[in-house]
Amino acid sequence: MGSPADVVKHLSSARDICLRDPSIYPQVIPGVLPVVGSATPVEQRRWGADFLAEAFASPVFSAEQKEKVIGSSSVMSTLKSYLCRKLELGQEEDPAVVKSAVQCAASVYPLVFRHVMNTSDEEMWGTMGAIKSSILRRMDAGPAGVQICCVKFAAIVVQVQTAGLVADPRRQEQNEISLALVPSEHSVLKVGNLEAEASGLLDRLMFVLQENSVHALLVTATLNALATIVQRRPSVGSKILGTVLNFNPLKLASGTASGKDKVAVRSMTRTTMSFLLNAIKRNPQNNLAARVLQHVDRLRALLAQAFTETKQLKRPAPDEPTDGLDDPKRQRIEGAMVNGTGNAQHAPQIPTYIPPGSTLAQLFTLSNDRAVTSFHVEQIPLPYVAQLVPPLLASIDPAKFVAATKIISERLLNLTPPPPPDARSVARGILGDDEDDYDPASAFQEGDVEQVMNRLDQMPPEDIAGPGIAIGPFKLPAPPPMDDFEKEEYTKTALVRVFSTLRDLDEEAKTKPAKKPELGKGFGRSPSTAHDRDQWITLLTRIATRAPFGLSEDPSDSKQENGERSLIKASPHNLSSRIRETLLSYIMEDFRRRINVAIAWLSEEWYCDTLAYRAAHPPDAANGNGATTPAPEERTPDYTALTLRLLDSLIPYLDTKDNKILIRLLSEIPSLPAGIFPRIERVADDPERVSLVVQSLLYLVMFRPPVRELALDALEGLWRTNEDARALAGKHLGKWRPEVVAKGLSEEGKSEANGEGGREVKSEEAS
């Protein structure tokens, strides 16, 4: 092998390949370890420690692959040889090698912990224990860089050995590695010992703050490490926050402090403030939030006063500009005097009168500069406005603000019309002021005076208007016609408001069941007797069904079946169509609880379709021309279409426990179209829902005689075509149509006999 420089050069080329393609880390690391072992020169060991620290800290090198590399290679033994070189070989250790080895140990510790938890590898856990002991011995002694890395490693140990939150106990590989994942009876990892060790290490980290250390690098590293623990382990967050609140980073602040001490104090103070603000930002509901904010304000004030070179006798200039302009030459312009006269006298006078019909911009304009009044403030981006407004408001002179308010008030008073004169003032204006000594109220009692004044106030103002002025009737102008877009927007807004009210009533009914009011039954009940869920549903269904009924002015519509009331024919901004669509969505959101809404809606649809058909086809006309009675589906087209659509939406979500839901729907709606039964039969294609279908059909056979034959036909179809439903359907079909079952069984017997006879003839011919 060549010189160490040549070896490092070749190793660097391998590192470059890994950086370009991280997927080859599992192949490169085992091959590199023998070249960078403890017996190699220090240059190779430095490169090896840096490479391992970089590899196991890489985010593109997955944790699963890292864990496999740790378990199948000598990574842990190599790290141990780096950190225990003086103890094992008696040779001096290189600080650069130790620093990189500690960083690598901090990266692999959670992976080793999970590997040992899953495999109970005592040897690897013993190696990790030796590495941990070697690192913790260096926390109080050694170079600053090594101490900082040791603090980071100790924080990782505390985080891993403290119980965290478990998102999904079934997928441990996706949970954060913590003590909560370790079984209490684990053979290698003792939960009690690990938890006690983590508590001791946490106290050791916080001791750096408790003793008010003046080592700025160590304090900063400790605060950064504790910040991660506060974020990920809330169980110890309050303890850490209490320690940081008692930490005094201004211990070195004094008048004789050197420049290095000043930099250290500023660094520690700002790091402490950042730590506290970030902790409260992540958890604003913390009990220590108020105390933390007070402490941050106190640290900020003390830091500003700590290293003041000279005592200021004058108040310092504000940080932000007083008038929105950052020009130091204009800081004292308000106090300047011109020839002994204030600048306010040279400012142009702002008029308090504005003509009637002025805009709001003219009302609040307090400048005569045309450039200012013509500038549109919306040209300024909103983030800049948010930054400019607070300092501008804080810099306003109170006297100027009061003067501007008075000007706006005077303008408003000038624009406000005077109140109408009362009867007494009008009478005084007509009679003159000669009768001031006469008081008409003295001739009446107190009640009579009020009665007379009321009558005077109610008198028509013909005399006040004066001769020659005729007051005609007042009529409001007709509203402008709305286009399709406005109708669409208003329809959406109305539906959102109404259905939001309905959902609020649903939530109230869940939390606090209300007493049911006594309501009238039938289609003639009033929908506005109470502000409850039932009344809102009744109102919505009647708006959807009854509102457009009979509104067409075309007489030809009466000859059509339901005119233009169909959901399919309706225009996009039709309120009734929108309500129907939204009602369907509202029912399907929770159809098990809202099946009564579906039944009430379909009942209203059937009622209105029936009325529409009777209006278009009077009974006398039908009897005179001998016309045949159409099918129910033709008499109620909207009801049929909506019923089938609701059933199509409902069927995919029905399970074996929803037999009561389906039976209630089929039994309580006014009419069952023929298209319902093929859909119910298709539900039986799912073997698990055969019982649901058969029970629903049996209920219709027993308790709805008008559709009994249709239900029996559906049962017969199931018995003939569905093998899964054959036994259950045949059981009930044998009671209502025994001849069908008997004929079917005999046909099956003949077909089986013919099949066996054919097979025997074929066998004889073959022989």
Side-chain angles (χ1 to χ4, degrees), residues 528-550:
S528 59
T529 56
H531 181 72
D532 58 0
R533 179 175 177 269
D534 294 335
Q535 300 298 345
W536 274 105
I537 291 170
T538 304
L539 180 64
L540 286 173
T541 55
R542 292 187 179 179
I543 291 176
T545 57
R546 302 189 187 186
F549 182 78

Side-chain angles (χ1 to χ4, degrees), residues 611-669:
L611 292 181
Y613 180 80
R614 291 179 180 177
H617 304 82
D620 297 338
N623 295 333
N625 55 17
T628 59
T629 303
E633 291 80 1
E634 298 179 6
R635 296 197 300 267
T636 56
D638 284 354
Y639 167 77
T640 301
L642 293 172
T643 302
L644 297 180
R645 184 174 177 183
L646 174 65
L647 194 61
D648 290 337
S649 303
L650 191 65
I651 283 175
Y653 301 101
L654 292 175
D655 56 20
T656 56
K657 298 180 181 180
D658 291 330
N659 54 346
K660 295 182 179 179
I661 301 297
L662 183 58
I663 290 174
R664 182 182 178 186
L665 178 64
L666 297 178
S667 63
E668 294 189 15
I669 58 177

Side-chain angles (χ1 to χ4, degrees), residues 184-249:
S184 57
E185 65 278 0
H186 199 279
S187 58
V188 178
L189 301 177
K190 307 299 181 183
V191 177
N193 297 340
L194 295 176
E195 190 173 5
E197 182 184 17
S199 179
L201 281 178
L202 181 60
D203 293 339
R204 187 173 177 183
L205 287 174
M206 293 190 298
F207 182 72
V208 177
L209 306 178
Q210 291 171 351
E211 67 176 357
N212 290 327
S213 175
V214 296
H215 198 314
L217 293 177
L218 188 59
V219 170
T220 303
T222 303
L223 289 173
N224 292 333
L226 292 176
T228 305
I229 300 176
V230 170
Q231 177 185 359
R232 299 186 178 180
R233 297 294 179 266
S235 57
V236 296
S238 299
K239 179 180 179 181
I240 296 174
L241 279 178
T243 302
V244 175
L245 288 174
N246 295 325
F247 171 60
N248 181 20

Side-chain angles (χ1 to χ4, degrees), residues 368-411:
N368 295 324
D369 189 358
R370 292 186 177 182
V372 175
T373 56
S374 62
F375 177 75
H376 206 298
V377 74
E378 289 184 357
Q379 297 178 4
I380 306 176
L382 186 60
Y384 294 157
V385 175
Q387 294 179 2
L388 290 173
V389 168
L392 290 177
L393 291 177
S395 62
I396 294 176
D397 186 6
K400 293 183 178 180
F401 183 79
V402 173
T405 306
K406 291 182 178 179
I407 293 174
I408 302 299
S409 300
E410 292 179 6
R411 291 179 178 179

